[in-house]
Structures are given as C-alpha cells and as structure tokens.
C-alpha cells in the first residue's frame, strides 16, 4: 500500500510508504540513541541492562502516547522528544560540571539559573547539537503522519508490542 504525500504544490505528490505509527517508532529510536549519546558524552559506559531499561522507558512513553487521537499525537510526540532532548542535554551539561546526575534537590535551585547562565553556556560543546538534530526533519514526518488514520487493530498490535518491550526492562531493573 502506498500513501501519497502531498508536498503542498499543485500536482506534485511524493509517493512513499509511511505507516501512521511512524512517529512512535521515531520516538523510541530517538530516545534510545539520545540516551546512548548522553552516556557517551558524560564519559560513562552503558551496559545491556541500561539499554533494556532505556528501551522499556521509551516503550512506556510510546504506549502513553498511543491513546491520543491521530491528528494531535504526532505533534505531542514531537514535543515530548524535544523535551526529552532538552532534559538529556541538561543532564550532560550538569554531569560535566558536577560529575554526577542532578537530584530533585537541585531542581529547587533552578531559579538561580539566570544568575549563572554564562557559566552554564560555557559548559556546552558543539557536539551537544546532536541531541536536537532530528527535531527539524521530524516536523515534516509529523505533518505527514498526522494526516493518516491508525486502525484499532494496528493500535492493539502496537500496544502488545509495547508491553512486550516493557518486560526485559522491568527484568533489568
């Protein structure tokens, strides 16, 4: 089955097969890659248990998004990925300075961020750009996916797959 993607110009369609749940696949893959990048950028190694827990968390987020209506789900998925990208990048910057992950007590001091913004900006490296590089091309993908319908049967299959992905992550904890 081929889905025709309207490019916006009269008479020009881009033929491609893009399943309506592609936004969820993108989210899980992006979160896994970004988690690995955060570990590498922080100088920490990642074992198989960390990968399984990351996969389970990504699947859990995707399962939560699966219940949303198809018209808005891709945009909320994009926003979720942008938020997770920002959090992972902030974690990396925090680790560069303190050599530890932030705790809940640190979030209480977030109001002081403006006073030390120059110090924080000096901790950013050009490689931190990789946390956000997928967001711009994903806007096109979200536009396409939001126009298609995800059937109940396919939604159920995705839910079962998401629950199956949770198993190894729960075991790894």
């Amino acid at each position: 089955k081929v889905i025709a993607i309207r490019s916006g110009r009269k008479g020009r369609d881009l033929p491609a097969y893009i399943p309506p749940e592609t936004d969820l696949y993108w989210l899980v893959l992006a979160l896994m890659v970004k988690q690995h990048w955060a570990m590498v950028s922080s100088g920490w190694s990642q074992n198989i248990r960390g990968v399984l827990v990351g996969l389970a968390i990504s699947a859990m987020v995707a399962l939560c998004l699966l219940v949303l209506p198809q018209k808005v789900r891709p945009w909320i998925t994009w926003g979720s990925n942008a938020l997770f990208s920002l959090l992972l990048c902030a974690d990396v910057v925090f680790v560069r300075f303190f050599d530890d992950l932030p705790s809940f007590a640190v979030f209480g001091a977030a109001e002081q961020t403006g006073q030390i913004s120059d110090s924080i900006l000096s901790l950013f490296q050009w490689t931190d750009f990789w946390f956000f590089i997928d967001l711009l091309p994903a806007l096109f993908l979200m536009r396409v996916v939001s126009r298609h319908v995800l059937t109940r049967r396919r939604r159920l299959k995705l839910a079962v797959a998401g629950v199956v992905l949770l198993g190894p992550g729960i075991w790894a904890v």
Side-chain angles (χ1 to χ4, degrees):
K1 182 176 175 181
V2 174
I3 298 172
I5 304 165
R6 187 132 202 123
S7 66
R9 295 186 184 139
K10 202 169 191 175
R12 293 188 182 177
D13 290 337
L14 303 171
Y17 177 71
I18 299 179
E21 71 275 3
T22 303
D23 59 322
L24 299 175
Y25 298 146
W26 166 73
L27 177 74
V28 171
L29 179 65
L31 290 180
M32 293 298 300
V33 169
K34 290 175 184 185
Q35 177 193 357
H36 178 72
W37 183 252
M39 296 293 284
V40 169
S41 296
S42 300
W44 295 343
S45 62
Q46 187 175 26
N47 59 19
I48 189 67
R49 291 179 81 153
V51 171
L52 292 175
V53 170
L55 182 61
I57 291 170
S58 301
M60 189 169 41
V61 171
L63 278 172
C64 292
L65 293 170
L66 186 59
V67 300
L68 297 174
Q70 182 69 23
K71 295 270 185 210
V72 297
R73 190 195 67 229
W75 303 110
I76 294 173
T77 301
W78 187 90
S80 299
N81 191 355
L83 178 66
F84 285 123
S85 299
L86 188 63
L87 286 173
L88 285 169
C89 186
D91 283 346
V92 168
V93 170
F94 191 89
V95 167
R96 283 188 191 133
F97 189 76
F98 292 106
D99 199 30
D100 195 15
L101 285 174
S103 65
F104 284 111
V106 171
F107 291 118
E111 63 213 22
Q112 299 172 359
T113 305
Q115 299 167 357
I116 57 169
S117 60
D118 292 337
S119 299
I120 293 172
L121 290 175
S122 70
L123 294 171
F124 279 96
Q125 298 175 358
W126 69 271
T127 54
D128 295 338
F129 173 71
W130 289 109
F131 284 108
F132 305 99
I133 197 160
D134 64 324
L135 295 176
L136 189 59
L139 284 174
F140 173 74
L141 178 67
M142 298 306 122
R143 180 173 175 245
V144 170
V145 171
S146 67
R147 296 177 179 196
H148 299 290
V149 178
L150 188 60
T151 63
R152 274 189 195 187
R153 184 175 182 167
R154 192 150 184 149
R155 194 178 293 259
L156 181 62
K157 287 180 181 179
L158 287 170
V160 169
V163 170
V164 168
L165 288 176
L166 287 175
I170 292 169
W171 168 80
V173 174

